[in-house]
Amino acid sequence: MTKYVIRGGKPLFGEVEISGAKNAAVAIIPAALLVDGVCRIENIPQISDVTLCLRILESLGATVRSINSHTVEIDATRIRTTRTPYELATKIRASYYLIGSLLGRFGRAEVSMPGGCNFGGVRPIDQHVKGFTALGGKMMVEGGFILAKAEGGRLHGANIYLDVVSVGATMNIMMAAVLADGNTVIENAAKEPHIVDLANFLNSMGANIRGAGTDTIKITGVSSLHGGSYAIIPDQIEAGTYMAAVAATGGQVLVKNIIPKHMDCITAKLLECGVEVEEHEDTLLVRRTGRLHRTNVKTMPYPGFPTDMQPQITTVLSLAEGTSLVTEGVWSSRYRYVDELRRMGANIQVDEKTAIVEGVECLKAAPTQAYDLRAGAAMVIAALAAQGESEITGIHYIERGYENIVEKLRGIGADICEVESPDDDAANANVG
Ligand code: EPU
């Protein structure tokens, strides 16, 4: 096991290149199972969640060929089985996308219950099940596996109204419906950039999906999808995390390979905090010189402020002048990291879904743990801003979603290294 050692208190300067979007990649890779032919996928981030997705596809019989570090070719023409290996699929949340893709293409799927970051509370999939059932899937849970079967071997189109706006359910139903017989309409659909990315990927392989990015998605089923080439969009949350790091430490960094429109919800909040953000075609120049100002943040589905940036913005606000309120509007609880920030001198109280953040002048170095992916990102930001040497354990969570974070941060002047850690308790926690 390894941990990060960060000597903080230094402003960041330079340029950082953003990788492909994790939450698009972990949907598009399973969606390649729908394709009869070779899919070339470019701008794939090198992160452990992606490695796991590719291994699951190989275990089902797909051929996965690495063209270079960020491009793979997947050929799912000869799938051997529709049953995912228990030990792999339970490690990631995104394994639920295998239900939609296998059910859509082969009329059956046996997928172990999904794992993923456990940031408190349950992560239900009732809306996915509601969608598959409407499309004619028979759903059962047996021996830790979700069993799904299409009556007559093929799904049929349906009108589906989601009771909650769910990224996962929207994408999963979309995957199941592209090869279904007839028309499907998903209402109250999620609108995140990775939903549009998945629709664009599927359309480029011959699917007929309209309206992705709005709350009504219309799909006309086609008989098969063909091979093709597709490049994944840049990661909005990775970019936002580097922007938050500059906000917390001060300095000036050019964040490269982004889509500025996807960043608007994050940029708007950082501007309120007194951070300067200059927008160019596919870059943002982020600068912070004076003291940070307080603001309020509420997380919401896109185009609202993303829940996956909540721990990072709370860390920034812990250094702002005045009292800020952060309200979590997507997950019932996502504040476990706050105890770790308090150990670094932050003054934050949590009352159910709201964190009351009294800004302090500075954070102090401390040993901390990453309890999940974004909480880990918040720990890194806090350590970069804090005076002195901090250690962060549980970094395998961070590596699930941030490509080369150590090298990227070193490239903008951070003093961070990864060292052996024999006693990494968080690494043994029962979450994947
Ligand atoms: N929900 C239901 N029923 C469902 C599905 C969701 O009630 O069937 C509720 C959830 O409890 C939650 C809300 O709906 O309150 C939104 O959940 P959503 O389905 O949108 O989340 P998800 O698909 O499980 C993805 C990302 C998360 C991100 C959320 C919200 C992946 C693999 N995960 O999860 O990303 O927080 O959308 O944007 O795409 C992360 O990257 O750190 C991460 C946790």
Side-chain angles (χ1 to χ4, degrees), residues 275-313:
V275 178
E276 294 164 58
V277 183
E278 217 176 88
E279 186 179 310
H280 301 278
E281 199 181 319
D282 63 353
T283 60
L284 288 177
L285 183 66
V286 185
R287 184 187 308 119
R288 203 269 285 170
T289 45
R291 180 95 200 261
L292 289 159
H293 312 318
R294 62 152 303 279
T295 191
N296 295 336
V297 176
K298 178 163 187 195
T299 69
M300 278 188 279
Y302 190 82
F305 188 88
T307 172
D308 293 342
M309 278 296 299
Q310 184 256 97
Q312 301 91 313
I313 196 78

Short mmCIF file of all heavy atoms in Angstrom, two decimals, residues 275-313:
data_model
loop_
_atom_site.label_atom_id
_atom_site.label_comp_id
_atom_site.label_asym_id
_atom_site.label_seq_id
_atom_site.Cartn_x
_atom_site.Cartn_y
_atom_site.Cartn_z
N VAL A 275 -12.23 34.07 -7.13
CA VAL A 275 -11.22 33.47 -8.01
C VAL A 275 -11.43 34.04 -9.41
O VAL A 275 -12.57 34.25 -9.82
CB VAL A 275 -11.39 31.92 -8.03
CG1 VAL A 275 -10.38 31.27 -8.96
CG2 VAL A 275 -11.28 31.36 -6.62
N GLU A 276 -10.34 34.35 -10.11
CA GLU A 276 -10.48 34.84 -11.48
C GLU A 276 -10.42 33.66 -12.44
O GLU A 276 -9.53 32.81 -12.30
CB GLU A 276 -9.35 35.80 -11.83
CG GLU A 276 -9.38 37.09 -11.02
CD GLU A 276 -8.05 37.81 -11.11
OE1 GLU A 276 -7.61 38.14 -12.23
OE2 GLU A 276 -7.43 38.01 -10.04
N VAL A 277 -11.36 33.60 -13.38
CA VAL A 277 -11.37 32.51 -14.36
C VAL A 277 -11.53 33.13 -15.74
O VAL A 277 -12.50 33.82 -16.02
CB VAL A 277 -12.53 31.51 -14.09
CG1 VAL A 277 -12.46 30.35 -15.09
CG2 VAL A 277 -12.48 30.98 -12.65
N GLU A 278 -10.55 32.89 -16.59
CA GLU A 278 -10.56 33.43 -17.95
C GLU A 278 -10.82 32.27 -18.90
O GLU A 278 -10.08 31.29 -18.88
CB GLU A 278 -9.18 34.00 -18.24
CG GLU A 278 -9.13 35.24 -19.05
CD GLU A 278 -7.68 35.70 -19.14
OE1 GLU A 278 -7.01 35.25 -20.08
OE2 GLU A 278 -7.23 36.46 -18.25
N GLU A 279 -11.86 32.41 -19.74
CA GLU A 279 -12.26 31.30 -20.59
C GLU A 279 -11.69 31.43 -22.00
O GLU A 279 -11.77 32.49 -22.60
CB GLU A 279 -13.80 31.29 -20.64
CG GLU A 279 -14.38 30.14 -21.36
CD GLU A 279 -15.91 30.21 -21.35
OE1 GLU A 279 -16.50 30.39 -20.27
OE2 GLU A 279 -16.49 30.09 -22.43
N HIS A 280 -11.09 30.36 -22.50
CA HIS A 280 -10.65 30.33 -23.90
C HIS A 280 -11.35 29.15 -24.58
O HIS A 280 -12.20 28.49 -23.97
CB HIS A 280 -9.12 30.21 -23.97
CG HIS A 280 -8.44 31.34 -23.26
ND1 HIS A 280 -8.25 32.56 -23.84
CD2 HIS A 280 -7.95 31.44 -22.00
CE1 HIS A 280 -7.66 33.38 -22.97
NE2 HIS A 280 -7.47 32.72 -21.84
N GLU A 281 -10.95 28.82 -25.81
CA GLU A 281 -11.70 27.82 -26.57
C GLU A 281 -11.78 26.46 -25.84
O GLU A 281 -12.86 25.93 -25.65
CB GLU A 281 -11.06 27.65 -27.94
CG GLU A 281 -12.00 27.01 -28.93
CD GLU A 281 -11.32 26.84 -30.27
OE1 GLU A 281 -10.60 27.77 -30.69
OE2 GLU A 281 -11.49 25.75 -30.86
N ASP A 282 -10.64 25.92 -25.46
CA ASP A 282 -10.68 24.64 -24.74
C ASP A 282 -9.77 24.66 -23.51
O ASP A 282 -9.22 23.63 -23.11
CB ASP A 282 -10.34 23.46 -25.66
CG ASP A 282 -8.94 23.55 -26.22
OD1 ASP A 282 -8.28 24.59 -26.00
OD2 ASP A 282 -8.48 22.58 -26.85
N THR A 283 -9.60 25.86 -22.95
CA THR A 283 -8.79 26.00 -21.73
C THR A 283 -9.46 27.01 -20.81
O THR A 283 -10.28 27.83 -21.25
CB THR A 283 -7.37 26.53 -22.04
OG1 THR A 283 -7.49 27.81 -22.67
CG2 THR A 283 -6.57 25.59 -22.92
N LEU A 284 -9.09 26.96 -19.53
CA LEU A 284 -9.51 27.98 -18.56
C LEU A 284 -8.26 28.41 -17.81
O LEU A 284 -7.49 27.56 -17.34
CB LEU A 284 -10.51 27.41 -17.56
CG LEU A 284 -11.93 27.10 -18.02
CD1 LEU A 284 -12.73 26.47 -16.87
CD2 LEU A 284 -12.64 28.34 -18.52
N LEU A 285 -8.07 29.72 -17.68
CA LEU A 285 -6.95 30.22 -16.88
C LEU A 285 -7.52 30.58 -15.51
O LEU A 285 -8.43 31.42 -15.41
CB LEU A 285 -6.32 31.45 -17.55
CG LEU A 285 -5.09 32.00 -16.84
CD1 LEU A 285 -3.93 31.00 -16.89
CD2 LEU A 285 -4.65 33.32 -17.47
N VAL A 286 -7.02 29.93 -14.48
CA VAL A 286 -7.57 30.11 -13.13
C VAL A 286 -6.52 30.81 -12.28
O VAL A 286 -5.37 30.35 -12.22
CB VAL A 286 -7.92 28.74 -12.51
CG1 VAL A 286 -8.62 28.91 -11.17
CG2 VAL A 286 -8.81 27.94 -13.46
N ARG A 287 -6.93 31.92 -11.62
CA ARG A 287 -5.97 32.68 -10.83
C ARG A 287 -6.62 33.08 -9.50
O ARG A 287 -7.79 33.50 -9.47
CB ARG A 287 -5.57 33.94 -11.60
CG ARG A 287 -4.49 34.78 -10.93
CD ARG A 287 -4.25 36.10 -11.65
NE ARG A 287 -4.01 35.95 -13.07
CZ ARG A 287 -4.77 36.48 -14.03
NH1 ARG A 287 -5.80 37.22 -13.70
NH2 ARG A 287 -4.51 36.28 -15.30
N ARG A 288 -5.86 32.93 -8.42
CA ARG A 288 -6.35 33.45 -7.13
C ARG A 288 -5.20 34.15 -6.43
O ARG A 288 -4.15 33.58 -6.22
CB ARG A 288 -6.89 32.30 -6.27
CG ARG A 288 -7.88 32.74 -5.21
CD ARG A 288 -7.27 33.07 -3.89
NE ARG A 288 -6.88 31.89 -3.15
CZ ARG A 288 -6.15 31.95 -2.05
NH1 ARG A 288 -5.70 33.10 -1.59
NH2 ARG A 288 -5.81 30.84 -1.43
N THR A 289 -5.47 35.43 -6.09
CA THR A 289 -4.44 36.21 -5.42
C THR A 289 -4.89 36.63 -4.02
O THR A 289 -4.26 36.27 -3.04
CB THR A 289 -4.05 37.45 -6.26
OG1 THR A 289 -5.25 38.06 -6.73
CG2 THR A 289 -3.16 37.08 -7.43
N GLY A 290 -6.03 37.30 -3.90
CA GLY A 290 -6.49 37.79 -2.59
C GLY A 290 -7.15 36.70 -1.75
O GLY A 290 -7.14 35.53 -2.11
N ARG A 291 -7.74 37.10 -0.63
CA ARG A 291 -8.46 36.16 0.25
C ARG A 291 -9.75 35.69 -0.43
O ARG A 291 -10.39 36.45 -1.16
CB ARG A 291 -8.76 36.89 1.58
CG ARG A 291 -9.52 36.08 2.62
CD ARG A 291 -8.62 35.41 3.63
NE ARG A 291 -9.27 34.31 4.31
CZ ARG A 291 -9.82 34.38 5.52
NH1 ARG A 291 -9.79 35.51 6.19
NH2 ARG A 291 -10.38 33.31 6.07
N LEU A 292 -10.11 34.45 -0.18
CA LEU A 292 -11.35 33.90 -0.75
C LEU A 292 -12.57 34.50 -0.06
O LEU A 292 -12.54 34.77 1.15
CB LEU A 292 -11.37 32.38 -0.56
CG LEU A 292 -10.39 31.57 -1.41
CD1 LEU A 292 -10.15 30.20 -0.79
CD2 LEU A 292 -10.91 31.44 -2.84
N HIS A 293 -13.66 34.70 -0.83
CA HIS A 293 -14.92 35.19 -0.24
C HIS A 293 -15.86 34.02 0.03
O HIS A 293 -15.81 33.02 -0.66
CB HIS A 293 -15.67 36.13 -1.20
CG HIS A 293 -14.82 37.17 -1.81
ND1 HIS A 293 -13.88 37.87 -1.12
CD2 HIS A 293 -14.78 37.64 -3.10
CE1 HIS A 293 -13.30 38.74 -1.92
NE2 HIS A 293 -13.81 38.61 -3.14
N ARG A 294 -16.74 34.21 0.98
CA ARG A 294 -17.74 33.19 1.31
C ARG A 294 -18.80 33.10 0.20
O ARG A 294 -19.01 34.05 -0.56
CB ARG A 294 -18.43 33.52 2.64
CG ARG A 294 -19.19 34.83 2.61
CD ARG A 294 -20.36 34.92 3.52
NE ARG A 294 -21.33 33.88 3.30
CZ ARG A 294 -22.26 33.90 2.35
NH1 ARG A 294 -22.35 34.91 1.48
NH2 ARG A 294 -23.12 32.91 2.25
N THR A 295 -19.46 31.98 0.12
CA THR A 295 -20.64 31.87 -0.74
C THR A 295 -21.46 30.66 -0.28
O THR A 295 -21.02 29.91 0.60
CB THR A 295 -20.27 31.76 -2.24
OG1 THR A 295 -21.45 31.92 -3.02
CG2 THR A 295 -19.64 30.42 -2.60
N ASN A 296 -22.63 30.49 -0.86
CA ASN A 296 -23.44 29.29 -0.59
C ASN A 296 -23.47 28.40 -1.82
O ASN A 296 -23.48 28.91 -2.95
CB ASN A 296 -24.88 29.68 -0.21
CG ASN A 296 -24.92 30.46 1.08
OD1 ASN A 296 -24.01 30.34 1.91
ND2 ASN A 296 -25.94 31.28 1.26
N VAL A 297 -23.51 27.10 -1.58
CA VAL A 297 -23.51 26.14 -2.70
C VAL A 297 -24.58 25.09 -2.42
O VAL A 297 -24.69 24.60 -1.30
CB VAL A 297 -22.14 25.42 -2.80
CG1 VAL A 297 -22.16 24.36 -3.90
CG2 VAL A 297 -21.01 26.41 -3.04
N LYS A 298 -25.36 24.75 -3.45
CA LYS A 298 -26.27 23.61 -3.33
C LYS A 298 -26.02 22.67 -4.50
O LYS A 298 -26.02 23.12 -5.66
CB LYS A 298 -27.73 24.10 -3.33
CG LYS A 298 -28.68 22.92 -3.25
CD LYS A 298 -30.07 23.27 -2.85
CE LYS A 298 -30.80 21.94 -2.66
NZ LYS A 298 -32.16 21.96 -2.61
N THR A 299 -25.77 21.42 -4.21
CA THR A 299 -25.51 20.48 -5.30
C THR A 299 -26.84 20.03 -5.91
O THR A 299 -27.83 19.85 -5.20
CB THR A 299 -24.71 19.25 -4.84
OG1 THR A 299 -25.53 18.45 -3.99
CG2 THR A 299 -23.45 19.65 -4.11
N MET A 300 -26.81 19.87 -7.23
CA MET A 300 -28.02 19.51 -7.97
C MET A 300 -27.62 18.77 -9.23
O MET A 300 -26.48 18.86 -9.66
CB MET A 300 -28.75 20.79 -8.40
CG MET A 300 -29.60 21.40 -7.32
SD MET A 300 -30.57 22.74 -7.99
CE MET A 300 -29.41 24.04 -8.01
N PRO A 301 -28.57 18.04 -9.84
CA PRO A 301 -28.25 17.44 -11.14
C PRO A 301 -27.84 18.53 -12.14
O PRO A 301 -28.23 19.70 -11.99
CB PRO A 301 -29.57 16.78 -11.57
CG PRO A 301 -30.34 16.59 -10.30
CD PRO A 301 -29.95 17.72 -9.41
N TYR A 302 -27.07 18.19 -13.16
CA TYR A 302 -26.63 19.11 -14.20
C TYR A 302 -27.82 19.82 -14.83
O TYR A 302 -28.83 19.17 -15.06
CB TYR A 302 -25.87 18.31 -15.28
CG TYR A 302 -25.14 19.17 -16.28
CD1 TYR A 302 -23.90 19.71 -15.98
CD2 TYR A 302 -25.71 19.46 -17.52
CE1 TYR A 302 -23.22 20.50 -16.90
CE2 TYR A 302 -25.04 20.25 -18.44
CZ TYR A 302 -23.80 20.77 -18.12
OH TYR A 302 -23.12 21.55 -19.04
N PRO A 303 -27.76 21.11 -15.08
CA PRO A 303 -26.59 22.00 -15.02
C PRO A 303 -26.35 22.65 -13.66
O PRO A 303 -25.68 23.68 -13.60
CB PRO A 303 -26.91 23.04 -16.08
CG PRO A 303 -28.40 23.15 -16.07
CD PRO A 303 -28.93 21.79 -15.71
N GLY A 304 -26.84 22.05 -12.59
CA GLY A 304 -26.55 22.59 -11.26
C GLY A 304 -25.11 22.26 -10.83
O GLY A 304 -24.38 21.60 -11.57
N PHE A 305 -24.75 22.71 -9.64
CA PHE A 305 -23.39 22.45 -9.14
C PHE A 305 -23.27 20.96 -8.82
O PHE A 305 -24.08 20.40 -8.08
CB PHE A 305 -23.13 23.30 -7.89
CG PHE A 305 -21.69 23.22 -7.44
CD1 PHE A 305 -20.75 24.10 -7.95
CD2 PHE A 305 -21.27 22.25 -6.55
CE1 PHE A 305 -19.41 24.02 -7.58
CE2 PHE A 305 -19.94 22.15 -6.17
CZ PHE A 305 -19.01 23.03 -6.69
N PRO A 306 -22.24 20.27 -9.36
CA PRO A 306 -22.18 18.80 -9.21
C PRO A 306 -21.86 18.32 -7.81
O PRO A 306 -20.96 18.86 -7.16
CB PRO A 306 -21.06 18.39 -10.18
CG PRO A 306 -20.35 19.63 -10.58
CD PRO A 306 -21.18 20.81 -10.20
N THR A 307 -22.57 17.29 -7.40
CA THR A 307 -22.29 16.67 -6.10
C THR A 307 -20.85 16.14 -6.05
O THR A 307 -20.24 16.12 -4.98
CB THR A 307 -23.29 15.53 -5.81
OG1 THR A 307 -22.88 14.84 -4.64
CG2 THR A 307 -23.39 14.51 -6.93
N ASP A 308 -20.31 15.75 -7.20
CA ASP A 308 -18.95 15.21 -7.21
C ASP A 308 -17.89 16.28 -6.99
O ASP A 308 -16.70 15.97 -6.93
CB ASP A 308 -18.70 14.44 -8.52
CG ASP A 308 -19.56 13.19 -8.61
OD1 ASP A 308 -20.08 12.74 -7.57
OD2 ASP A 308 -19.73 12.67 -9.73
N MET A 309 -18.32 17.56 -6.88
CA MET A 309 -17.40 18.65 -6.53
C MET A 309 -17.69 19.18 -5.12
O MET A 309 -17.09 20.16 -4.70
CB MET A 309 -17.57 19.80 -7.53
CG MET A 309 -16.82 19.64 -8.83
SD MET A 309 -15.01 19.61 -8.63
CE MET A 309 -14.69 21.22 -7.92
N GLN A 310 -18.63 18.55 -4.42
CA GLN A 310 -19.02 19.09 -3.10
C GLN A 310 -17.88 19.06 -2.07
O GLN A 310 -17.60 20.06 -1.42
CB GLN A 310 -20.28 18.36 -2.63
CG GLN A 310 -20.88 18.85 -1.35
CD GLN A 310 -20.55 17.90 -0.21
OE1 GLN A 310 -19.60 18.12 0.54
NE2 GLN A 310 -21.33 16.85 -0.07
N PRO A 311 -17.16 17.93 -1.92
CA PRO A 311 -16.07 17.95 -0.93
C PRO A 311 -14.97 18.95 -1.29
O PRO A 311 -14.39 19.59 -0.40
CB PRO A 311 -15.54 16.50 -0.98
CG PRO A 311 -16.67 15.69 -1.54
CD PRO A 311 -17.35 16.59 -2.51
N GLN A 312 -14.70 19.10 -2.59
CA GLN A 312 -13.62 20.01 -3.02
C GLN A 312 -14.02 21.47 -2.75
O GLN A 312 -13.20 22.25 -2.25
CB GLN A 312 -13.32 19.84 -4.52
CG GLN A 312 -12.90 18.44 -4.94
CD GLN A 312 -14.07 17.57 -5.37
OE1 GLN A 312 -15.09 17.50 -4.68
NE2 GLN A 312 -13.94 16.89 -6.49
N ILE A 313 -15.28 21.86 -3.05
CA ILE A 313 -15.68 23.27 -2.84
C ILE A 313 -15.78 23.56 -1.34
O ILE A 313 -15.47 24.66 -0.89
CB ILE A 313 -16.98 23.63 -3.61
CG1 ILE A 313 -17.15 25.16 -3.72
CG2 ILE A 313 -18.23 23.07 -2.96
CD1 ILE A 313 -16.32 25.82 -4.74
#
